[in-house]
């Protein structure tokens, strides 16, 4: 009997959250006629990213609250329109496989400078409504020639779809100012998803992501802000984005033996499952030690300090010295940026004395290894419903 072929899951366009964050995701339960055991391990609740991502950053030239509302309304309408578009049939040749959807998502985030400029100016009288842990990304060990403050922007627009040209088109509309003249694009980064979820050196990646499908689930527990979270009211249903562009010099990595490569990550290459025992400075252990029966000073278990990872590859060719310029756009989404993201990064990953004095930083980083060359912190508001615009509730 022929095996069932599953069509990839679709983004959730009508949910309370912006599409392109915790979706498209395979349903938690196997569809009818599909072997539950086989499906469970490989699909259930797994994020199935679109093939291409453009990360567009921009500043806002609006001077008044009225102008800012106009910009947000227009941008919201533009995003909705791009997501609702249906691929035209008249450009398809007779023997082409019909394209039903390009799974477009356009997700918008606000940077700290939209609320307060670097010089401290409360430009739209929004400082009191700034999300509690939103700030300009701090510099950390592992940043290489990258000063996050110089790259802080008012907006980020994450454009994803299954076709590069669709992303490119949407970027062009933003860049040329035809969406709104007050959107001033500062940068664009391009990434692609490897369909088998492996990272650039072939390790299974994302296996320990919180998962279990749509609706209120463990994935949502870690990602979306709730009313009781102590955030300004308008933040409910939103999430924080920590974005890092991470360069990897894999020429050196591939010179290592298979065992030495696995020691860097601390996981089995094929399955992504943590090796026991593992080196104390291995990547997986440094970013989450997973200590059993251990509650920290804030009464938190290590597993509570998890977040959703949505990485995309980049390949920018070679640099001026002929060195490979590639790696990951590492997108992390968390309900509490401080407790779930900054704590693991600052207290564990980059702390040379964790878990013991002299352990050293994450083995993935360091000379000849990974280095952060771009990124920023943003707040992604909840989806806009009805006639609302993204960020409704800011009271502009
Ligand atoms: C080029 C850079 C990176 C690569 C290639 C990479 C790859 C991997 C791999 C192969 C795993 C093990 C499989 C899995 O658990 O999903 C892993 C785990 C993980 N990585 Fe990364 N990673 C990178 C950067 C980062 C960064 C910058 C962060 C966060 C700041 C991060 C956070 C995590 C977390 C939270 C886990 C799971 C740990 C656990 O709970 O067991 N990774 N990564």
């Amino acid at each position: 009997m022929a095996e069932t072929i599953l069509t990839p899951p679709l983004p959730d366009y009508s949910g309370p959250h912006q599409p392109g964050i915790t979706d498209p995701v395979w349903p938690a339960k196997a569809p009818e006629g599909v072997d539950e055991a086989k499906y469970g391990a490989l699909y259930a609740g797994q994020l199935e990213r679109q093939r291409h991502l453009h990360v567009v950053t921009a500043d806002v030239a609006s001077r008044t609250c009225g102008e800012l509302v106009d910009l947000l309304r227009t941008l919201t309408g533009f995003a909705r329109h791009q997501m609702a578009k249906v691929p035209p049939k008249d450009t398809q040749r007779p023997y082409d496989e019909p394209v039903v959807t390009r799974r477009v998502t356009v997700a918008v985030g606000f940077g700290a400078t939209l609320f307060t400029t670097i010089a401290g100016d409360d430009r739209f009288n929004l400082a009191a409504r700034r999300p509690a842990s939103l700030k300009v990304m701090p510099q950390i060990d592992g940043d290489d020639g990258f000063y996050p403050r110089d790259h802080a922007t008012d907006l980020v627009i994450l454009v994803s779809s299954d076709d590069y040209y669709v992303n490119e088109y949407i970027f062009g509309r933003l860049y040329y100012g035809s969406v709104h003249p007050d959107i001033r694009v500062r940068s664009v980064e391009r990434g692609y998803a490897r369909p088998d979820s492996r990272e650039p050196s072939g390790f299974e990646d994302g296996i320990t992501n919180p998962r279990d499908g749509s609706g209120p689930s463990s994935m949502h527990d870690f990602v979306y802000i709730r009313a009781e979270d102590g955030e300004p009211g308008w933040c409910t249903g939103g999430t924080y984005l920590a974005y890092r562009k991470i360069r990897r010099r894999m020429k050196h990595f591939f010179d290592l033996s298979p065992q030495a490569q696995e020691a860097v990550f601390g996981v089995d290459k094929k399955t992504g499952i943590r090796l026991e025992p593992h080196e104390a400075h291995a990547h997986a252990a440094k970013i989450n030690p997973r200590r059993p029966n251990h509650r920290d000073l804030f009464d938190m278990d290590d597993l509570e300090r998890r977040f959703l990872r949505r990485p995309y590859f980049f390949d920018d060719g070679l640099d001026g010295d002929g060195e490979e310029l590639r790696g990951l756009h590492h997108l992390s989404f968390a309900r509490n940026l401080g407790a779930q993201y900054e704590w693991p990064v600052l207290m564990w990953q980059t702390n040379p004395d964790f878990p013991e004095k002299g352990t050293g930083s994450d083995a993935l980083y360091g000379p000849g290894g990974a280095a952060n060359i771009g990124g920023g912190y943003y707040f992604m508001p909840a989806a806009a419903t009805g006639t609302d615009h993204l960020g409704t509730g800011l009271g502009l």
Side-chain angles (χ1 to χ4, degrees), residues 20 26 29 41 49 68 120 127 194 197 200 209 227 253 264-265 271 316 320 346 356 358-359 369:
W26 291 101
K29 283 217 94 18
R49 294 156 298 165
L68 179 58
R194 185 168 149 162
S197 298
N209 252 341
F253 187 82
V264 168
F265 286 102
T271 62
D316 294 348
L346 300 176
E356 279 159 19
T359 296

mmCIF file of all heavy atoms in Angstrom, residues 20 26 29 41 49 68 120 127 194 197 200 209 227 253 264-265 271 316 320 346 356 358-359 369:
data_model
loop_
_atom_site.group_PDB
_atom_site.id
_atom_site.type_symbol
_atom_site.label_atom_id
_atom_site.label_comp_id
_atom_site.label_asym_id
_atom_site.label_seq_id
_atom_site.Cartn_x
_atom_site.Cartn_y
_atom_site.Cartn_z
ATOM 1 N N GLY A 20 3.652 33.103 11.990
ATOM 2 C CA GLY A 20 5.088 33.113 11.699
ATOM 3 C C GLY A 20 5.936 33.099 12.951
ATOM 4 O O GLY A 20 7.135 33.358 12.890
ATOM 5 N N TRP A 26 3.049 21.312 12.865
ATOM 6 C CA TRP A 26 2.312 20.062 12.619
ATOM 7 C C TRP A 26 1.371 19.821 13.787
ATOM 8 O O TRP A 26 1.748 20.048 14.948
ATOM 9 C CB TRP A 26 3.281 18.875 12.518
ATOM 10 C CG TRP A 26 4.136 18.908 11.296
ATOM 11 C CD1 TRP A 26 5.431 19.300 11.214
ATOM 12 C CD2 TRP A 26 3.757 18.520 9.975
ATOM 13 N NE1 TRP A 26 5.883 19.194 9.924
ATOM 14 C CE2 TRP A 26 4.879 18.712 9.145
ATOM 15 C CE3 TRP A 26 2.582 18.023 9.397
ATOM 16 C CZ2 TRP A 26 4.867 18.438 7.773
ATOM 17 C CZ3 TRP A 26 2.568 17.737 8.036
ATOM 18 C CH2 TRP A 26 3.700 17.951 7.240
ATOM 19 N N LYS A 29 -1.717 15.643 17.056
ATOM 20 C CA LYS A 29 -2.228 14.277 16.823
ATOM 21 C C LYS A 29 -2.046 13.909 15.360
ATOM 22 O O LYS A 29 -2.266 14.739 14.475
ATOM 23 C CB LYS A 29 -3.725 14.193 17.166
ATOM 24 C CG LYS A 29 -3.977 14.132 18.657
ATOM 25 C CD LYS A 29 -5.147 13.223 19.011
ATOM 26 C CE LYS A 29 -4.906 11.779 19.368
ATOM 27 N NZ LYS A 29 -3.729 11.215 19.743
ATOM 28 N N ALA A 41 7.215 10.994 16.734
ATOM 29 C CA ALA A 41 8.600 11.398 16.957
ATOM 30 C C ALA A 41 9.045 12.496 15.999
ATOM 31 O O ALA A 41 9.837 13.361 16.347
ATOM 32 C CB ALA A 41 9.501 10.180 16.812
ATOM 33 N N ARG A 49 8.942 25.380 9.510
ATOM 34 C CA ARG A 49 9.146 26.740 8.996
ATOM 35 C C ARG A 49 8.932 26.813 7.489
ATOM 36 O O ARG A 49 9.187 25.848 6.778
ATOM 37 C CB ARG A 49 10.591 27.183 9.296
ATOM 38 C CG ARG A 49 10.888 27.328 10.747
ATOM 39 C CD ARG A 49 12.370 27.177 11.001
ATOM 40 N NE ARG A 49 12.828 25.853 10.607
ATOM 41 C CZ ARG A 49 14.082 25.510 10.440
ATOM 42 N NH1 ARG A 49 15.026 26.396 10.625
ATOM 43 N NH2 ARG A 49 14.418 24.288 10.082
ATOM 44 N N LEU A 68 2.242 58.129 13.599
ATOM 45 C CA LEU A 68 2.634 56.755 13.942
ATOM 46 C C LEU A 68 1.443 55.800 13.791
ATOM 47 O O LEU A 68 1.590 54.693 13.265
ATOM 48 C CB LEU A 68 3.196 56.700 15.373
ATOM 49 C CG LEU A 68 3.623 55.314 15.858
ATOM 50 C CD1 LEU A 68 4.685 54.689 14.954
ATOM 51 C CD2 LEU A 68 4.146 55.377 17.304
ATOM 52 N N GLY A 120 17.284 59.141 25.048
ATOM 53 C CA GLY A 120 16.396 59.221 26.209
ATOM 54 C C GLY A 120 15.115 60.007 25.964
ATOM 55 O O GLY A 120 14.402 60.360 26.904
ATOM 56 N N ALA A 127 6.750 55.831 26.812
ATOM 57 C CA ALA A 127 7.740 55.196 27.695
ATOM 58 C C ALA A 127 7.070 54.361 28.790
ATOM 59 O O ALA A 127 7.529 53.267 29.111
ATOM 60 C CB ALA A 127 8.647 56.251 28.305
ATOM 61 N N ARG A 194 16.613 24.581 6.162
ATOM 62 C CA ARG A 194 16.913 23.258 5.634
ATOM 63 C C ARG A 194 15.727 22.361 6.003
ATOM 64 O O ARG A 194 15.311 22.348 7.155
ATOM 65 C CB ARG A 194 18.220 22.783 6.282
ATOM 66 C CG ARG A 194 18.738 21.488 5.762
ATOM 67 C CD ARG A 194 20.162 21.250 6.247
ATOM 68 N NE ARG A 194 20.381 19.826 6.396
ATOM 69 C CZ ARG A 194 21.584 19.268 6.464
ATOM 70 N NH1 ARG A 194 22.664 20.021 6.438
ATOM 71 N NH2 ARG A 194 21.714 17.969 6.600
ATOM 72 N N SER A 197 15.613 20.062 9.296
ATOM 73 C CA SER A 197 15.840 20.611 10.653
ATOM 74 C C SER A 197 17.248 20.424 11.182
ATOM 75 O O SER A 197 17.464 20.451 12.392
ATOM 76 C CB SER A 197 14.877 20.005 11.672
ATOM 77 O OG SER A 197 13.590 20.308 11.340
ATOM 78 N N PRO A 200 23.784 24.014 10.360
ATOM 79 C CA PRO A 200 24.743 24.013 9.252
ATOM 80 C C PRO A 200 25.804 22.908 9.297
ATOM 81 O O PRO A 200 26.314 22.507 8.265
ATOM 82 C CB PRO A 200 25.395 25.398 9.347
ATOM 83 C CG PRO A 200 24.371 26.238 10.006
ATOM 84 C CD PRO A 200 23.633 25.350 10.952
ATOM 85 N N ASN A 209 12.964 21.832 21.425
ATOM 86 C CA ASN A 209 12.048 22.973 21.453
ATOM 87 C C ASN A 209 10.776 22.568 22.185
ATOM 88 O O ASN A 209 10.314 21.431 22.034
ATOM 89 C CB ASN A 209 11.652 23.356 20.023
ATOM 90 C CG ASN A 209 12.289 24.650 19.587
ATOM 91 O OD1 ASN A 209 12.730 25.454 20.415
ATOM 92 N ND2 ASN A 209 12.342 24.856 18.285
ATOM 93 N N ALA A 227 -2.180 37.810 30.799
ATOM 94 C CA ALA A 227 -2.616 38.996 31.554
ATOM 95 C C ALA A 227 -1.921 39.087 32.913
ATOM 96 O O ALA A 227 -1.639 40.181 33.403
ATOM 97 C CB ALA A 227 -4.124 38.964 31.716
ATOM 98 N N PHE A 253 35.658 23.348 12.117
ATOM 99 C CA PHE A 253 34.793 22.375 12.796
ATOM 100 C C PHE A 253 34.851 21.029 12.070
ATOM 101 O O PHE A 253 34.919 19.971 12.698
ATOM 102 C CB PHE A 253 33.362 22.915 12.837
ATOM 103 C CG PHE A 253 32.427 22.082 13.656
ATOM 104 C CD1 PHE A 253 32.375 22.217 15.036
ATOM 105 C CD2 PHE A 253 31.602 21.129 13.053
ATOM 106 C CE1 PHE A 253 31.519 21.441 15.798
ATOM 107 C CE2 PHE A 253 30.739 20.354 13.807
ATOM 108 C CZ PHE A 253 30.698 20.516 15.181
ATOM 109 N N VAL A 264 31.412 19.197 21.201
ATOM 110 C CA VAL A 264 31.159 20.645 21.165
ATOM 111 C C VAL A 264 29.690 20.928 21.494
ATOM 112 O O VAL A 264 29.374 21.807 22.286
ATOM 113 C CB VAL A 264 31.524 21.230 19.781
ATOM 114 C CG1 VAL A 264 31.004 22.651 19.636
ATOM 115 C CG2 VAL A 264 33.032 21.171 19.558
ATOM 116 N N PHE A 265 28.795 20.159 20.884
ATOM 117 C CA PHE A 265 27.364 20.384 21.138
ATOM 118 C C PHE A 265 26.880 19.652 22.384
ATOM 119 O O PHE A 265 25.885 20.025 22.979
ATOM 120 C CB PHE A 265 26.537 19.927 19.930
ATOM 121 C CG PHE A 265 26.635 20.860 18.756
ATOM 122 C CD1 PHE A 265 27.439 20.562 17.670
ATOM 123 C CD2 PHE A 265 25.921 22.047 18.752
ATOM 124 C CE1 PHE A 265 27.532 21.428 16.591
ATOM 125 C CE2 PHE A 265 26.002 22.916 17.676
ATOM 126 C CZ PHE A 265 26.814 22.611 16.590
ATOM 127 N N THR A 271 20.507 12.330 16.396
ATOM 128 C CA THR A 271 19.224 12.437 17.101
ATOM 129 C C THR A 271 19.070 13.752 17.853
ATOM 130 O O THR A 271 17.965 14.131 18.225
ATOM 131 C CB THR A 271 19.090 11.311 18.138
ATOM 132 O OG1 THR A 271 20.151 11.474 19.106
ATOM 133 C CG2 THR A 271 19.201 9.944 17.494
ATOM 134 N N ASP A 316 26.286 34.178 3.095
ATOM 135 C CA ASP A 316 26.626 35.463 2.465
ATOM 136 C C ASP A 316 27.928 35.358 1.659
ATOM 137 O O ASP A 316 28.642 36.343 1.507
ATOM 138 C CB ASP A 316 26.745 36.570 3.529
ATOM 139 C CG ASP A 316 25.403 36.875 4.201
ATOM 140 O OD1 ASP A 316 24.375 36.410 3.695
ATOM 141 O OD2 ASP A 316 25.381 37.574 5.236
ATOM 142 N N GLY A 320 36.067 39.479 2.801
ATOM 143 C CA GLY A 320 37.195 40.066 2.070
ATOM 144 C C GLY A 320 38.474 39.250 2.215
ATOM 145 O O GLY A 320 39.385 39.351 1.377
ATOM 146 N N LEU A 346 23.381 34.841 29.950
ATOM 147 C CA LEU A 346 24.380 35.550 30.768
ATOM 148 C C LEU A 346 24.854 34.728 31.967
ATOM 149 O O LEU A 346 26.043 34.735 32.301
ATOM 150 C CB LEU A 346 23.820 36.900 31.238
ATOM 151 C CG LEU A 346 23.429 37.859 30.105
ATOM 152 C CD1 LEU A 346 22.803 39.123 30.666
ATOM 153 C CD2 LEU A 346 24.634 38.210 29.222
ATOM 154 N N GLU A 356 31.055 25.321 36.979
ATOM 155 C CA GLU A 356 32.116 25.371 37.991
ATOM 156 C C GLU A 356 33.148 26.379 37.584
ATOM 157 O O GLU A 356 33.304 26.688 36.404
ATOM 158 C CB GLU A 356 32.815 24.001 38.065
ATOM 159 C CG GLU A 356 32.067 23.001 38.893
ATOM 160 C CD GLU A 356 32.466 21.575 38.551
ATOM 161 O OE1 GLU A 356 33.561 21.399 37.943
ATOM 162 O OE2 GLU A 356 31.685 20.671 38.873
ATOM 163 N N GLY A 358 36.130 28.042 36.144
ATOM 164 C CA GLY A 358 37.079 27.638 35.108
ATOM 165 C C GLY A 358 36.495 26.746 34.017
ATOM 166 O O GLY A 358 37.221 26.293 33.135
ATOM 167 N N THR A 359 35.176 26.496 34.025
ATOM 168 C CA THR A 359 34.554 25.652 32.982
ATOM 169 C C THR A 359 34.757 26.257 31.596
ATOM 170 O O THR A 359 34.981 25.553 30.616
ATOM 171 C CB THR A 359 33.030 25.500 33.238
ATOM 172 O OG1 THR A 359 32.853 24.809 34.462
ATOM 173 C CG2 THR A 359 32.351 24.754 32.120
ATOM 174 N N GLY A 369 35.447 29.512 16.088
ATOM 175 C CA GLY A 369 34.110 28.928 16.229
ATOM 176 C C GLY A 369 33.027 29.911 15.847
ATOM 177 O O GLY A 369 33.149 30.626 14.854
#
